[in-house]
Amino acid sequence: MELICKITEEDIGEESSKLDNPRLRLAARGIVVREDGKIAIFNKRNKNEYKLPGGGMEGKELPEEAFKREVLEETGCEVKNIKSLGITEEYKALDNFKQTSYVFIGEVQKNTEQLNMTEKEKEEGGRLIWETPEKALELIKECFDKLVASKYESVYSTKFIVLRDRKILEKYIELRKEC
């Protein structure tokens, strides 16, 4: 599977530290495309954060299953024609944490229009928006230097999320141009 990006502290403007037997997390995330070509973006207004749908894998869940579940929770959409885009790796030394995300592209099969947000996401002002891939990339790029911490996450952690999703979107847009 192709490595889309590897993100370390240096990539987000922090001093580099060393990981020491880090906690590991597997996740699934990616691009959810509607018929009109717009993609799902999850916005946490109170943090000024824009991100792609996705989250941690649960139990013995396979990556594609986790992607489908996370997409349904965060967008209310069931997806079809799922294709792998690659993987991302995040190395958060300050948290002694490594995350590997399996990244997919999926087409909306059915939109239930019912989001299943966590209390955390609700408190952070979570909402779903649909944008062109180019506009989504612009929003993600613009929010990087304007992020606000929440009681759940520091700006440090959120910068990893935003940079990772920027790299995923850049890869997706590049692939679309090749087709």
Side-chain angles (χ1 to χ4, degrees), residues 8-168:
T8 66
E9 268 114 1
E10 291 173 347
D11 298 313
I12 65 161
E14 297 285 333
E15 217 171 288
S16 184
S17 317
K18 205 169 197 164
L19 289 167
D20 181 29
N21 195 25
R23 291 177 297 118
L24 301 175
R25 181 179 192 232
L26 297 177
R29 64 191 70 262
I31 312 285
V32 177
V33 186
R34 275 193 328 201
E35 221 173 69
D36 63 3
K38 290 188 175 182
I39 64 169
I41 298 293
F42 198 73
N43 173 228
K44 296 179 181 180
R45 289 176 289 219
N46 300 343
K47 294 176 65 181
N48 195 38
E49 175 187 358
Y50 291 87
K51 67 182 278 300
L52 296 171
M57 292 168 53
E58 298 176 354
K60 294 184 180 186
E61 204 172 35
L62 295 173
E64 191 173 307
E65 293 168 343
F67 176 68
K68 288 178 180 178
R69 178 185 49 75
E70 285 288 342
V71 166
L72 185 58
E73 288 173 6
E74 292 185 0
T75 71
C77 296
E78 295 174 10
V79 287
K80 64 179 180 179
N81 299 330
I82 297 168
K83 296 178 182 80
S84 174
L85 190 60
I87 61 167
T88 64
E89 295 177 348
E90 297 166 63
Y91 296 87
K92 300 177 186 176
L94 287 179
D95 295 338
N96 201 36
F97 180 78
K98 177 190 175 194
Q99 177 168 278
T100 300
S101 293
Y102 295 88
V103 183
F104 298 95
I105 303 167
E107 298 172 7
V108 174
Q109 179 175 353
K110 177 183 176 188
N111 188 347
T112 69
E113 297 186 16
Q114 293 193 6
L115 305 186
N116 185 16
M117 288 190 283
T118 64
E119 281 308 308
K120 171 187 167 216
E121 290 165 335
K122 289 176 188 172
E123 285 183 31
E124 292 174 338
R127 68 181 177 140
L128 178 68
I129 59 174
W130 293 89
E131 293 290 351
T132 65
E134 293 76 16
K135 177 64 177 174
L137 180 58
E138 183 183 315
L139 290 168
I140 285 174
K141 282 180 175 180
E142 287 175 359
C143 82
F144 187 82
D145 291 321
K146 300 173 186 170
L147 294 168
V148 177
S150 74
K151 71 180 187 183
Y152 301 101
E153 285 180 318
S154 67
V155 170
Y156 167 84
S157 293
T158 307
K159 280 188 172 185
F160 277 89
I161 293 166
V162 171
L163 182 56
R164 174 201 65 216
D165 289 358
R166 173 184 163 187
K167 298 290 187 185
I168 292 169

